[in-house]
Amino acid sequence: MSPAGWTDFLEERFGRWSVPHLVRGLVAMNAASWLLNLASPGFLAILKLEPALILQGEWWRALTFIFVPPASAHPIFFFIFLWFLWSIGEALEETLGSFHLNLYVLVSMVVVVAVAFLQPAIPVNSFYLFNALFLGFAATLPDQKIFLFPIPIPLSVLWVAGVTSALLFVPVFFEPALLPGLLAGHAGFLTFFGPGLIENLLARFRRD
């Protein structure tokens, strides 16, 4: 069940076109891209979202940018990232359903592409889309506890998601032009969960 009622209306008409286990596919493609770039440095360049090149016919870039893994990190941390992405993707799909999860990701992708065309000088950061999945996981299953390597104690997923998301806003204070891309990457979360969060805040404000 989706937290956004309008998506239930869309599911009745387009639900049969949903792709099951979408996040598994994202994990597999990110792993493959990382390995191919390891074998052939520079491979990721043909996957990145470049509006000018899309207009020249390289249309696949509007889709493949989400297969570009986060900035280079130690293989162990990259494996942990993929494992965590797989885990939250499975939990979200079980809770929301395949169609709603598909739409969640699609909304962010479409808005990211639109913003990239509006401000092509600012690079696209696919990590924003992955963080939007993490926020969705925290909003859907707020009582979950997670272990944040290397801290050996369970942490509230709400706190971890809140802190990591807040840290993403730090660079915006030094370069405000990054804000549209940051919000675009989280468009799925804002669309699905934003109205409910605003309603809860307003209700709490009225009680106070």
Side-chain angles (χ1 to χ4, degrees):
M1 178 64 67
S2 168
W6 59 271
T7 63
D8 294 329
F9 171 80
L10 292 177
E11 184 180 26
E12 293 177 2
R13 287 153 179 78
F14 306 107
R16 64 181 181 278
W17 302 106
S18 63
V19 179
H21 307 301
L22 176 66
V23 176
R24 291 186 188 182
L26 292 179
V27 169
M29 294 304 295
N30 272 262
S33 299
W34 186 82
L35 290 172
L36 288 170
N37 192 65
L38 196 65
S40 180
F43 169 77
L44 294 179
I46 69 172
L47 306 179
K48 293 182 177 179
L49 181 56
E50 298 284 353
L53 295 177
I54 291 176
L55 293 175
Q56 294 176 19
E58 298 185 10
W59 55 267
W60 62 84
R61 293 175 179 270
L63 302 173
T64 58
F65 74 91
I66 201 172
F67 301 150
V68 177
S72 59
H74 192 281
I76 292 178
F77 290 103
F78 182 60
F79 173 79
I80 292 173
F81 163 74
L82 293 181
W83 170 80
F84 188 64
L85 181 60
W86 180 297
S87 300
I88 64 177
E90 293 292 290
L92 276 174
E93 183 158 8
E94 182 177 349
T95 305
L96 301 179
S98 295
F99 176 80
H100 300 294
L101 182 57
N102 284 195
L103 192 59
Y104 188 97
V105 175
L106 181 61
V107 167
S108 288
M109 291 181 65
V110 169
V111 177
V112 165
V113 172
V115 169
F117 274 92
L118 292 173
Q119 54 173 83
I122 305 299
V124 171
N125 188 344
S126 59
F127 183 75
Y128 296 156
L129 287 88
F130 301 135
N131 190 69
L133 287 171
F134 184 29
L135 281 173
F137 172 75
T140 304
L141 301 166
D143 296 327
Q144 288 288 323
K145 303 291 184 181
I146 61 173
F147 288 90
L148 189 64
F149 181 84
I151 303 174
I153 57 175
L155 301 173
S156 167
V157 69
L158 280 177
W159 279 103
V160 176
V163 170
T164 56
S165 299
L167 290 175
L168 292 179
F169 278 90
V170 173
V172 173
F173 287 101
F174 302 97
E175 193 173 355
L178 295 174
L179 182 60
L182 175 59
L183 295 178
H186 291 84
F189 175 78
L190 295 173
T191 302
F192 274 66
F193 295 96
L197 292 175
I198 293 174
E199 184 178 344
N200 289 337
L201 287 174
L202 290 176
R204 180 173 299 180
F205 177 78
R206 294 190 192 100
R207 287 198 301 268
D208 295 339

